[in-house]
Amino acid sequence: MAGCPVVVKGHPSHPGTCELAARVIREAVQTGGFPEGTFSLLQGAGNEVGAALVAHPATAAVGFTGSLRGGRALFNQAAARATPVPFYAEMGSVNPQYVLPGLLEDDPAGFADSLFASVTLGNGQFCTNPGLVFVPEGKGSVAFLARLRERAAASPAEPMLNAGIRGAYAEGVAALASLGDVQLTGGDCPGPGFRCRAAVAELSLNDFERHRDRLEEEVFGPVTVVVRCPDTASYTAVASGFPGQLATSIHGNASDLEAASALVDALTRFAGRLVINGFPTGIEICQAMHHGGPYPAATSSRFTSIGLASIARWSRPVAFQNTPDHLLPKALQEKNPLGIPRTVDGTIQPPANQPPSQKP
Amino acid sequence: MAGCPVVVKGHPSHPGTCELAARVIREAVQTGGFPEGTFSLLQGAGNEVGAALVAHPATAAVGFTGSLRGGRALFNQAAARATPVPFYAEMGSVNPQYVLPGLLEDDPAGFADSLFASVTLGNGQFCTNPGLVFVPEGKGSVAFLARLRERAAASPAEPMLNAGIRGAYAEGVAALASLGDVQLTGGDCPGPGFRCRAAVAELSLNDFERHRDRLEEEVFGPVTVVVRCPDTASYTAVASGFPGQLATSIHGNASDLEAASALVDALTRFAGRLVINGFPTGIEICQAMHHGGPYPAATSSRFTSIGLASIARWSRPVAFQNTPDHLLPKALQEKNPLGIPRTVDGTIQPPANQPPSQKP
């Protein structure tokens, strides 16, 4: 859409799926009349293919989804080039969830079910997985945790993307269990097909503070860590220490939310997206979407990797000064032949023929 | 304007001017009711102050104007931080000018005068200085060059910003003169006060191609290099090899410009701004301005350092999902209390009270 040819590095776990997808795209390139070379797929098991693509002089910008370690290594490489190029990495995130007491007492089991459904969506392999949940201690949290444990213990073991990711999940869950007074339910990895079971870890706010560095690191997979807090007064202070996150949520009933302004302020300082009464999994591709955030959630907090604004990663502005109409791109010609909304002398001019509820 | 406190590194050549400016800004901060610490000035002669500011954990983004060497060193430092931060450097550029034959024959002396005025504006110390001029050989170019030499020879020596910049100019001009069959007029540095005289260097397209790497590097100061080309057919091919530039121009009469589309395409591949029949010096602060460009003109080609869009360097998007009105920033509240234009469900909605020619 931005006019740039694309070279995709296939994932070594799914060379066949990558090839099937690439063939469909190549066919669309041909039937759509796009130039040969608009799309290419390169496969390779090691890191060499990705590194060679980032280093290539014709590469003008790079998009990446994956781990912090992999993303940071390629970001460093892109920045160290003789001609540095933008490197848009969207990396790990624990996406902290803040639960307010009214909602938790209103429907502890329903909230546990909704959380568990989000944690286990795609067997927990979404970057927007709610990996850390702060709850106020009380009657609500007891019922909520009981239900959550029950769901984790009863959940079937589901497949992970590959053996390495399953292995990292098993190690990550074991590491969580070793942190002080953590109570763990589920998380075992039985059977063939890179399977694993969802896990729920519970600990106190004191233990969270003690092991905060470890708990801020994502364990990729269907696991969430519930932090029991004496009350919600600590939420704003806890939030102020977070590294960049893709998303965060506040869960509360109407009266909980009356006084949530300070918490909203604290959360938007570290997150790219704030959700009220919803989980971050499930991302709508629309104009208002921002899927990104401060480092280490992403390497470039100004850009989104999903949604209509994501095209800005692959374009750059050019000013045309004193240029006669016939030398201008159509988008800038006096008569607006494309019929697009434009700002002229400081005034936004929607196209005359814009229907009342035009959607992209 | 973006809500970020600003720390400015003063220029060691003008500590007094920096302090005077800073006092005025501090006064405005106080009388405007902004928080203490909204603006600070740090002075220092070495590179240590700038390096410490880039390294500081509270620094969230950096803007820079200066040399490629200085900008690249700090860019590397910003990218290597544990938490990398955006580094918006606007660096050197030779801003190539392409002159078409009709215009050159219509008014060779007038064009020479206009070029010379731009080259010597601020004694050549603008980053948009036209440092490289391609002309077609012929009657027009002979008269043009005669007039340009005359102007350079007769121009008074004017002060540069400091001794180091004057010294680099003298060295840069001497290096130009040593390149093959270069004819040099002016460029001597007589008298006190860091003075220097404007310089015009002339060479053939063959010599330009032979020494291209050297000639693409900016000599900071009132110097321009005129490249005599056998014809204008070579312009597009020459343009395709350029590294990133802040600006570029095409100069032509109406019939010259009829066939300039391919040249426009070639120039917008390397430049952030294209000017037709004008010089890049003199930058309007408006919504359409883009002062930036691909590396090495700037480190981040997506952003402008001048004009209304420059504020985007200091802000980042946050998506608010399912958020009740009282928890939203005013800009997003249902009733649009700020009266700003917004996109709602894919439709641009200008504020109802927008006057027909509202300017910022």
Side-chain angles (χ1 to χ4, degrees), chain B residues 20-38:
Chain B
L20 287 170
R23 283 180 188 276
V24 171
I25 297 171
R26 270 185 62 89
E27 202 179 300
V29 164
Q30 280 160 6
T31 57
F34 293 94
E36 176 73 20
T38 296

Side-chain angles (χ1 to χ4, degrees), chain A residues 89-121:
Chain A
E90 183 253 278
M91 305 182 291
S93 182
V94 294
N95 309 306
Q97 308 290 302
Y98 294 83
V99 188
L100 299 178
L103 176 128
L104 203 62
E105 284 178 21
D106 289 351
D107 185 15
F111 181 69
D113 287 349
S114 302
L115 170 65
F116 193 75
S118 177
V119 168
T120 54
L121 190 69

Side-chain angles (χ1 to χ4, degrees), chain A residues 20-34 36 39:
Chain A
L20 286 171
R23 282 180 187 276
V24 171
I25 297 171
R26 270 185 63 89
E27 203 180 298
V29 163
Q30 279 159 6
T31 57
F34 293 94
E36 175 73 20
F39 177 86

Side-chain angles (χ1 to χ4, degrees), chain A residues 99-112 135-144 230-232 251-253 255-256:
Chain A
V99 188
L100 299 178
L103 176 128
L104 203 62
E105 284 178 21
D106 289 351
D107 185 15
F111 181 69
V135 298
E137 281 185 339
K139 219 169 49 182
S141 73
V142 170
F144 159 75
D231 52 48
T232 57
H251 303 271
N253 64 20
S255 86
D256 287 330

Side-chain angles (χ1 to χ4, degrees), chain A residues 10-52:
Chain A
H11 196 291
S13 291
H14 333 281
T17 312
C18 290
E19 188 171 333
L20 286 171
R23 282 180 187 276
V24 171
I25 297 171
R26 270 185 63 89
E27 203 180 298
V29 163
Q30 279 159 6
T31 57
F34 293 94
E36 175 73 20
T38 296
F39 177 86
S40 313
L41 169 70
L42 275 179
Q43 307 254 31
N47 295 328
E48 296 78 9
V49 174

Side-chain angles (χ1 to χ4, degrees), chain A residues 162-299:
Chain A
N162 62 36
I165 288 175
R166 200 255 301 257
Y169 176 76
E171 278 171 32
V173 170
L176 281 180
S178 72
L179 298 179
D181 276 339
V182 167
Q183 180 176 349
L184 182 76
T185 307
D188 52 323
C189 298
F194 322 136
R195 270 163 211 280
C196 72
R197 202 182 311 278
V200 171
E202 305 161 45
L203 77 173
S204 68
L205 180 59
N206 275 343
D207 276 340
F208 171 77
E209 292 290 10
R210 197 170 303 138
H211 303 291
R212 181 158 186 160
D213 284 356
R214 300 282 295 277
L215 290 160
E216 283 172 355
E217 279 175 31
E218 182 186 14
V219 176
F220 190 75
V223 53
T224 194
V225 176
V226 180
V227 182
R228 297 181 312 262
C229 303
D231 52 48
T232 57
S234 53
Y235 281 8
T236 309
V238 170
S240 77
F242 265 106
Q245 303 288 326
L246 294 169
T248 186
S249 305
I250 300 173
H251 303 271
N253 64 20
S255 86
D256 287 330
L257 295 177
E258 285 293 324
S261 285
L263 187 57
V264 166
D265 280 354
L267 303 195
T268 52
R269 282 174 194 266
F270 66 68
R273 181 163 58 110
L274 169 71
V275 186
I276 306 292
N277 286 333
F279 295 96
T281 44
I283 298 181
E284 187 173 349
I285 299 174
C286 64
Q287 287 180 307
M289 178 48 65
H290 184 71
H291 185 61
Y295 187 90
T299 50

